[in-house]
Amino acid sequence: MRLKELTQSPQRRRGLVKAKVKRQKAKVKRLSYFSLLTFAFCLPLRPLCVYCASAVNRNPRRTQLSFTVARASLLLVSVILIILPVFQPLALSSPATPGAATRLRVMSYNVHVGIGADKRNDLARIAEVIRRERPHLVGLQEIDRGVERTKRVDQMVELARLTGMEYAFAHNLDYQGGQYGVAVLSRLPILAVDHRRLRHMREAERRGLLRVEVSVAGKTVNFVTTHLDYQNHDNRLFETRQLTDALKGINTPLIVVGDFNDEPSGDSYKFMLEQFADAWVSASAPGDGLTYPADKPAKRIDYVFYRSGPLRARRAWIPQTQASDHLPLVVDLELSPR
């Protein structure tokens, strides 16, 4: 007891002792609460929680130290829980056993230069859709770079910044002082890029394809995005033939995504099925796969195709969002080691 306390009357000293005990009990109560939270959120920190609680019972003078340790532990757990989802998409699903398959998530998304079904231009909404679905590769259509209608914004730089992904862009058309085309976002390092402009019969808008190479579990995978003619079915088929011709020499696993502007009854879709599998069908996805228009989907024109062999579609779905006039299409593919 300190000198000041000794000089007080007995009644005063008893009052001071009672107040001190009361404060000590309050600290113990808070410590127990924080220790319980730490235990509930993170079992690996259980020994620390036990220490914090037992320290109080052994020696009340160590309450403040234990209380500080518990608060620091809870803060650490909270930070881990917050940042874990951010880093989770960066890794491909690891094979459970040697020689097992690897999961690869891909997305096709016509972003309509960031203009949603509500006619509002908001790239942040597009980025949020992509972040939420956590794809490894995204094929984008209708991208502006430095175009007047979208306030001269470099949309690829902005989307890459907002999603934390690498990008490649294919300039298919000059428009309003800028560039317009298709693009790829990738969580995997892009090893090579190939851009081909497609010849057209009479459509004014020039189309093209963009191909990137990435490495997945030690295998080279080619990923292609494209956007075909929406007006004339014969020109669309002409573009589709050029697309497949450009990809004939590729012997590695191959994925082709995009807005084909062709329904399953169309000639371009049927032509693609001669060389590729339709992921929506192969995955036995529920529903009709309708992606356009976003507010009242009535057409299936956005696809993920893949060359069978080491690739296999496991799951496909269409997230509901009004961020564009199209809905995105997401597919989980499985890449076998053979």
Side-chain angles (χ1 to χ4, degrees):
M1 190 174 292
R2 293 190 297 271
L3 178 62
K4 184 177 180 181
E5 294 176 358
L6 288 172
T7 61
Q8 303 289 338
S9 65
Q11 293 83 3
R12 176 63 174 169
R13 286 200 300 271
R14 283 196 294 271
L16 289 173
V17 170
K18 288 181 180 180
K20 187 174 182 179
V21 171
K22 187 175 182 181
R23 289 195 301 270
Q24 195 81 344
K25 286 182 178 179
K27 289 181 180 180
V28 171
K29 186 176 181 180
R30 291 197 299 271
L31 171 62
S32 300
Y33 172 73
F34 279 108
S35 298
L36 179 61
L37 282 180
T38 304
F39 177 80
F41 275 108
C42 191
L43 286 178
L45 290 179
R46 182 180 178 182
L48 184 59
C49 301
V50 174
Y51 163 76
C52 294
S54 63
V56 175
N57 296 328
R58 290 197 308 268
N59 188 352
R61 292 179 182 276
R62 300 179 64 180
T63 297
Q64 185 60 43
L65 174 62
S66 303
F67 179 46
T68 303
V69 171
R71 284 192 299 181
S73 303
L74 182 59
L75 178 61
L76 175 62
V77 172
S78 301
V79 170
I80 291 173
L81 291 174
I82 291 171
I83 68 173
L84 185 60
V86 176
F87 289 97
Q88 184 178 355
L90 300 181
L92 295 166
S93 59
S94 302
T97 57
T102 300
R103 290 292 179 96
L104 177 68
R105 180 169 295 177
V106 302
M107 173 189 282
S108 181
Y109 199 4
N110 183 326
V111 299
H112 195 223
V113 300
I115 301 175
D118 57 2
K119 309 302 181 185
R120 187 163 57 92
N121 192 323
D122 188 354
L123 275 183
R125 291 191 297 183
I126 300 292
E128 174 58 28
V129 172
I130 295 170
R131 286 197 305 267
R132 186 172 64 242
E133 298 303 325
R134 300 178 296 178
H136 298 101
L137 292 161
V138 186
L140 300 171
Q141 304 88 43
E142 297 194 17
I143 292 289
D144 276 356
R145 300 190 77 176
V147 176
E148 183 180 346
R149 67 180 171 187
T150 47
K151 300 180 180 179
R152 306 288 181 188
V153 172
D154 188 329
Q155 294 192 327
M156 277 321 301
V157 169
E158 185 66 6
L159 284 173
R161 182 186 69 82
L162 291 170
T163 60
M165 302 171 76
E166 290 190 23
Y167 76 89
F169 175 77
H171 169 206
N172 291 332
L173 180 70
D174 292 321
Y175 188 73
Q176 290 185 355
Q179 301 176 349
Y180 172 79
V182 295
V184 169
L185 286 170
S186 176
R187 295 198 186 278
L188 308 169
I190 296 174
L191 306 177
V193 177
D194 181 30
H195 172 215
R196 308 280 183 96
R197 286 182 176 174
L198 303 176
R199 303 186 308 278
H200 54 95
M201 299 169 67
R202 55 182 174 275
E203 187 191 26
E205 184 175 333
R206 190 75 182 269
R207 308 286 177 165
L209 68 91
L210 175 63
R211 176 178 62 86
V212 301
E213 286 184 8
V214 296
S215 179
V216 179
K219 279 181 174 282
T220 298
V221 173
N222 277 271
F223 181 76
V224 179
T225 183
T226 192
H227 185 197
L228 302 184
D229 181 5
Y230 74 98
Q231 292 177 305
N232 308 293
H233 73 276
D234 56 342
N235 190 53
R236 187 160 53 246
L237 181 59
F238 180 56
E239 292 170 344
T240 307
R241 292 183 185 275
Q242 293 175 69
L243 169 68
T244 57
D245 286 345
L247 302 176
K248 276 184 178 177
I250 296 175
N251 300 316
T252 62
L254 177 61
I255 305 162
V256 181
V257 310
D259 176 0
F260 280 72
N261 277 310
D262 204 52
E263 297 188 72
S265 59
D267 293 335
S268 295
Y269 174 82
K270 293 176 182 176
F271 185 78
M272 287 295 293
L273 290 186
E274 294 178 10
Q275 302 180 41
F276 295 89
D278 179 350
W280 184 267
V281 175
S282 300
S284 299
D288 298 323
L290 307 179
T291 56
Y292 181 83
D295 53 350
K296 295 180 180 179
K299 293 183 177 182
R300 184 177 177 228
I301 56 177
D302 298 280
Y303 299 96
V304 171
F305 295 105
Y306 66 96
R307 189 174 287 167
S308 55
L311 284 172
R312 188 174 180 184
R314 286 299 189 184
R315 181 172 169 240
W317 67 97
I318 297 173
Q320 299 303 304
T321 173
Q322 303 297 300
S324 170
D325 64 341
H326 284 242
L327 294 173
L329 170 62
V330 187
V331 175
D332 277 347
L333 295 164
E334 191 173 81
L335 178 63
S336 69
R338 295 180 295 277

